[in-house]
Amino acid sequence: MNTIRNTITSTFRQHYALLYLALFCVFTLLVRVKITHSVFYLFLMWNLFLAYIPLLISSVMINNPVVIERRHYFYPMMIMWLLFLPNAPYIITDFIHLKKDSSVPVWFDVLLLISFTIAGILSGLTSMKHMFNMLSIKLNPLLAWVSIGVICLLCGFGIYVGRFLRYNSWDVLKRPLSLTADMLSSFTQSTPLGITLGFGCFLFLLFNMFYSAEK
């Protein structure tokens, strides 16, 4: 448990950096709205908010030893965390909305989308590091790495479910039957497998680099 406590100071530093990055994203978006008088990209603010929810959940968990020690607190919160985690890497797919706009140079929209994407990815990686540290203590480091690998693949599938099937995290409770049916039918197609493996492996490699750099 001392290992968890020793990460709290660095966790706060990371949170401040992510807050500043989010503020930069919002400022850049508002500048675009002011220049173009278009609210087209305002959905990015909602997507970024969803991307930060897993970080909020994991931060509450890692800063409360009681939550980590007691299974009836830890695992339900971990499941809730996992349901929202795909929202972090999902922002990568928002690049499909990039298009030429005569009101602003294309580099500005590229900067806008990159800013939101990096903010979402970093918040997700930070949250995953929280979970990895907790799983390393509750289980062991090897099982924690295996768990992270599985989580990354689930995130890859979650990106497919969100982008192509158009479901949200809360649809697990709101529309469980249709969600389950659509997910099962997708297993017979090649696109879900490609997205799951592609984005899942990419996220795992990013986490490995992120975790190694932080050590």
Side-chain angles (χ1 to χ4, degrees):
M1 197 56 61
N2 288 332
T3 304
I4 291 294
R5 292 192 180 98
N6 291 336
T7 65
I8 293 178
T9 301
S10 61
T11 295
F12 280 123
R13 288 199 299 267
Q14 290 173 338
H15 288 185
Y16 279 121
L18 288 169
L19 174 61
Y20 298 146
L21 182 55
L23 291 176
F24 174 80
C25 292
V26 173
F27 174 77
T28 306
L29 178 58
L30 293 179
V31 169
R32 189 188 193 281
V33 171
K34 177 66 175 179
I35 294 173
T36 64
H37 303 288
S38 170
V39 297
F40 174 72
Y41 277 121
L42 282 182
F43 68 85
L44 289 172
M45 292 180 63
W46 175 247
N47 287 353
L48 188 61
F49 169 75
L50 293 177
Y52 273 57
I53 289 180
L55 180 59
L56 175 63
I57 295 173
S58 65
S59 297
V60 170
M61 296 174 68
I62 202 170
N63 287 296
N64 288 276
V66 174
V67 172
I68 302 173
E69 293 170 351
R70 300 184 181 180
R71 291 186 296 177
H72 59 279
Y73 288 148
F74 181 82
Y75 289 109
M77 291 190 70
M78 182 179 175
I79 291 173
M80 182 171 62
W81 170 82
L82 184 58
L83 288 176
F84 281 96
L85 183 62
N87 291 298
Y90 174 86
I91 297 186
I92 299 174
T93 65
D94 284 332
F95 266 94
I96 67 172
H97 299 291
L98 179 64
K99 57 183 179 180
K100 289 187 176 181
D101 188 334
S102 58
S103 302
V104 293
V106 67
W107 65 260
F108 188 91
D109 282 346
V110 170
L111 173 64
L112 178 69
L113 290 169
I114 286 179
S115 300
F116 275 89
T117 298
I118 291 178
I121 287 292
L122 289 180
S123 68
L125 293 175
T126 302
S127 179
M128 290 171 63
K129 184 182 178 184
H130 292 171
M131 191 59 64
F132 176 84
N133 288 335
M134 290 184 284
L135 289 174
S136 294
I137 290 176
K138 289 191 68 68
L139 305 175
N140 60 64
L142 177 60
L143 287 179
W145 275 111
V146 172
S147 300
I148 289 296
V150 173
I151 287 169
C152 288
L153 291 175
L154 290 175
C155 281
F157 185 68
I159 291 174
Y160 168 78
V161 171
R163 176 55 67 189
F164 291 90
L165 300 184
R166 306 306 299 166
Y167 285 101
N168 297 303
S169 300
W170 49 84
D171 284 325
V172 172
L173 299 176
K174 189 177 179 181
R175 295 188 292 168
L177 296 181
S178 60
L179 172 61
T180 302
D182 288 342
M183 287 172 59
L184 290 176
S185 64
S186 67
F187 292 143
T188 61
Q189 305 170 29
S190 59
T191 298
L193 178 61
I195 292 175
T196 298
L197 292 177
F199 280 94
C201 292
F202 177 64
L203 186 59
F204 182 78
L205 291 172
L206 284 181
F207 176 78
N208 186 41
M209 292 176 60
F210 181 80
Y211 182 79
S212 299
E214 288 283 310
K215 290 182 67 176

